[in-house]
Amino acid sequence: MKIFLDSADINEIKELCKTNLIDGITTNPSLIAKSGGNILDVIKEICGLVSGPVSAEVTAIDHKTMMMEAEKLLNLAENVTIKVPLTSDGLLTCKELSKNNVSVNVTLCFSASQAILAAKAGATFVSPFVGRLDDIGQNGLDLIYDIVEIYNNYNYKTQVLVASIRGVNHVIESAKIGADVVTIPTKTFKEMFNHPLTDKGLNAFLSDWQD
Ligand code: E4P
């Protein structure tokens, strides 16, 4: 399973890429706004920090303007993945870009029917948002089961990129289900390293070694 970082914070990305465990980055308009930078500058800088795909989201809602924004983003670097919302215009854009071998991430997926359409539009990645489904009292991971099963049934090539992850459990369950990618916030990535018995064991080894 690939691990992407869900962040537009340059310092955070620099720090965590040093682990050599990060396979790509996802951003969204809210994360870019939080970074305080201009989208083109921020995406360009991030693309220079990782060799894997960097998802950059269009902000237009109509197909024509989405295509124009995509073109600008694609000019920034070779590892840009265009992120489009799961709307009719977003999927039109996805289909057109995919036809030209552009990597596309279809985002804001909240149902299996939407995921079927994303696969049919040729998406490289589909991003189901588990945390936001949990937030409204549904079980977000159920959606991941459904999409993985459906994609396997038809051998769809679209990769399931689990997004809106709230903690390590979402990562573990996504891996058990067989999702292709998880995109996680810095905090969750750091938590993945931790176990109290690792700390306790290490302290014991170090103190035995000193005796
Ligand atoms: C995914 O690409 C999105 O950027 C992200 O995972 C959304 O997460 P949130 O629901 O925590 O905002």
Side-chain angles (χ1 to χ4, degrees):
M1 184 178 67
K2 289 176 222 161
I3 296 180
F4 290 0
L5 206 59
D6 198 25
S7 173
D9 182 315
I10 300 291
N11 292 331
E12 238 176 51
I13 294 170
K14 271 188 191 157
E15 182 200 336
L16 296 188
C17 282
K18 284 187 196 148
T19 62
N20 272 335
L21 297 170
I22 302 295
D23 301 299
I25 308 287
T26 54
T27 68
N28 63 39
S30 310
L31 292 171
I32 297 279
K34 203 169 135 201
S35 79
N38 159 285
I39 178 161
L40 298 178
D41 297 339
V42 175
I43 295 296
K44 190 167 181 158
E45 192 165 358
I46 297 174
C47 286
L49 298 173
V50 286
S51 52
V54 175
S55 288
E57 189 162 343
V58 296
T59 51
I61 53 168
D62 68 285
H63 170 56
K64 197 170 154 221
T65 322
M66 281 183 191
M67 287 301 296
M68 290 188 320
E69 287 184 9
E71 203 182 314
K72 279 192 198 149
L73 292 165
L74 288 167
N75 280 334
L76 295 175
E78 289 203 338
N79 52 337
V80 169
T81 286
I82 301 298
K83 204 173 182 190
V84 296
L86 211 156
T87 59
S88 174
D89 282 62
L91 293 185
L92 262 184
T93 306
C94 174
K95 185 105 191 178
E96 194 167 330
L97 291 170
S98 318
K99 249 190 349 211
N100 294 318
N101 294 319
V102 171
S103 169
V104 183
N105 177 355
V106 176
T107 190
L108 291 169
C109 174
F110 292 95
S111 76
S113 64
Q114 290 181 318
I116 292 170
L117 297 178
K120 289 189 71 71
T124 314
F125 304 102
V126 66
S127 292
F129 277 38
V130 289
R132 292 195 196 182
L133 283 170
D134 290 353
D135 291 346
I136 59 159
Q138 296 186 23
N139 183 351
L141 288 166
D142 285 348
L143 176 59
I144 308 305
Y145 276 105
D146 289 346
I147 299 175
V148 168
E149 183 180 350
I150 292 167
Y151 281 13
N152 284 341
N153 285 346
Y154 294 95
N155 205 15
Y156 284 139
K157 297 283 172 271
T158 301
Q159 297 177 52
V160 181
L161 191 170
V162 184
S164 185
I165 282 192
R166 299 281 190 257
V168 172
N169 198 44
H170 275 155
V171 177
I172 297 168
E173 291 304 317
S174 299
K176 281 162 69 180
I177 298 166
D180 302 283
V181 193
V182 285
T183 187
I184 57 183
T186 309
K187 183 172 168 283
T188 304
F189 180 67
K190 288 184 174 168
E191 283 167 4
M192 286 177 72
F193 286 84
N194 298 337
H195 195 285
L197 291 180
T198 305
D199 298 338
K200 194 175 166 197
L202 184 60
N203 285 338
F205 287 152
L206 291 176
S207 93
D208 290 345
W209 182 248
Q210 275 159 12
D211 288 342

